[in-house]
Amino acid sequence: MSRHAPAPAARCALRRTVVLVGLMGAGKTTVGRRLAEALGAPFRDSDDEIAQAAGMDVPSIFATLGEAAFREGEQRVIRRLLDDPPHVLATGGGAFMNPATRAAVRAGAVSVWLRADLETLVERTARKADRPLLRAGDPAEILARLMAQRHPTYAEADIVIDSEPGAPHESVVERIVAALRRAGALRAGA
Ligand code: S3P
């Protein structure tokens, strides 16, 4: 290699794509970005990819095309992303509820449920008004109902990590990395 060749890109530590699942406010995007950085891996967010494909943001998709169209797009986008080289993929809270998506994730990736308590979810989701499902009533009631509906399915994820209130993101990232190593999802030496 020439002395002037650019430094090789940091090697991605992942053998498989890591799919983050969990409710709105669990920290999938924030933790996902940091996890990707720690692993030298690309980061993708399924909501962003759907918005890009549709040419409008998520609330506009819900408002103009409806939730069913959003869910179709979500399934398609995640299926496509799972064919990409290993990366960290933050999914929207409803994505893992789709049986076809769950099967595709199980077949080709490793899933991580970021679990948080109701108070934490309510507090974190109150910071932004970009979640159409939470505009339909009292966010705490809606989140409590979604917890009851979805937690049994999120529990099918390969790895479960608690995202406690006040826990620094670094400690959540460290626990995910350790669990990925135990699950054989990291390259040797990573
Ligand atoms: C949804 C969660 C949102 C987004 C959409 C629907 C859900 O993503 O996909 O508003 O059904 O829980 P986040 O979980 O990233 O907020």
Side-chain angles (χ1 to χ4, degrees), residues 24 28 47 58 62 70-71 74 92-94 131-133 150:
M24 296 172 267
K28 300 176 299 269
D47 281 346
V58 172
F62 270 71
F70 174 80
R71 297 298 174 199
E74 183 171 56
R131 287 163 168 125
L133 294 184
R150 294 179 175 179

Side-chain angles (χ1 to χ4, degrees), residues 7-38:
R11 190 156 182 259
C12 174
L14 286 174
R15 298 174 61 209
R16 278 180 284 157
T17 287
V18 176
V19 178
L20 298 175
V21 307
L23 276 173
M24 296 172 267
K28 300 176 299 269
T29 302
T30 313
V31 167
R33 279 187 199 289
R34 288 165 193 245
L35 177 66
E37 210 174 298

Side-chain angles (χ1 to χ4, degrees), residues 18-137:
V18 176
V19 178
L20 298 175
V21 307
L23 276 173
M24 296 172 267
K28 300 176 299 269
T29 302
T30 313
V31 167
R33 279 187 199 289
R34 288 165 193 245
L35 177 66
E37 210 174 298
L39 296 170
F43 173 76
R44 300 274 184 281
D45 182 295
S46 67
D47 281 346
D48 289 348
E49 302 278 333
I50 300 161
Q52 207 180 329
M56 59 181 119
D57 62 17
V58 172
S60 305
I61 300 174
F62 270 71
T64 62
L65 306 174
E67 181 173 352
F70 174 80
R71 297 298 174 199
E72 272 171 40
E74 183 171 56
Q75 180 181 336
R76 225 177 13 249
V77 156
I78 293 174
R79 172 65 74 146
R80 170 173 60 75
L81 289 168
L82 289 174
D83 286 337
D84 282 353
H87 60 279
V88 175
L89 172 60
T91 60
F96 202 61
M97 300 308 293
N98 177 313
T101 297
R102 273 202 310 287
V105 169
R106 197 171 295 127
V110 55
S111 49
V112 178
W113 174 21
L114 276 187
R115 182 170 59 186
D117 61 26
L118 181 60
E119 204 183 321
T120 305
L121 299 174
V122 171
E123 197 258 310
R124 291 195 190 138
T125 53
R127 294 176 199 160
K128 276 206 223 157
D130 61 350
R131 287 163 168 125
L133 294 184
L134 298 184
R135 291 187 192 165

Side-chain angles (χ1 to χ4, degrees), residues 93-182:
F96 202 61
M97 300 308 293
N98 177 313
T101 297
R102 273 202 310 287
V105 169
R106 197 171 295 127
V110 55
S111 49
V112 178
W113 174 21
L114 276 187
R115 182 170 59 186
D117 61 26
L118 181 60
E119 204 183 321
T120 305
L121 299 174
V122 171
E123 197 258 310
R124 291 195 190 138
T125 53
R127 294 176 199 160
K128 276 206 223 157
D130 61 350
R131 287 163 168 125
L133 294 184
L134 298 184
R135 291 187 192 165
D138 173 41
E141 269 171 32
I142 295 167
L143 282 164
R145 195 170 61 237
L146 289 173
M147 273 177 105
Q149 285 169 358
R150 294 179 175 179
H151 276 197
T153 303
Y154 293 154
E156 293 178 26
D158 299 308
I159 292 168
V160 181
I161 298 287
D162 280 309
S163 163
E164 302 96 345
H169 293 308
E170 286 69 24
S171 99
V172 179
V173 167
E174 274 169 26
R175 279 182 285 136
I176 298 175
V177 171
L180 289 173
R181 186 169 288 119
R182 283 194 297 274

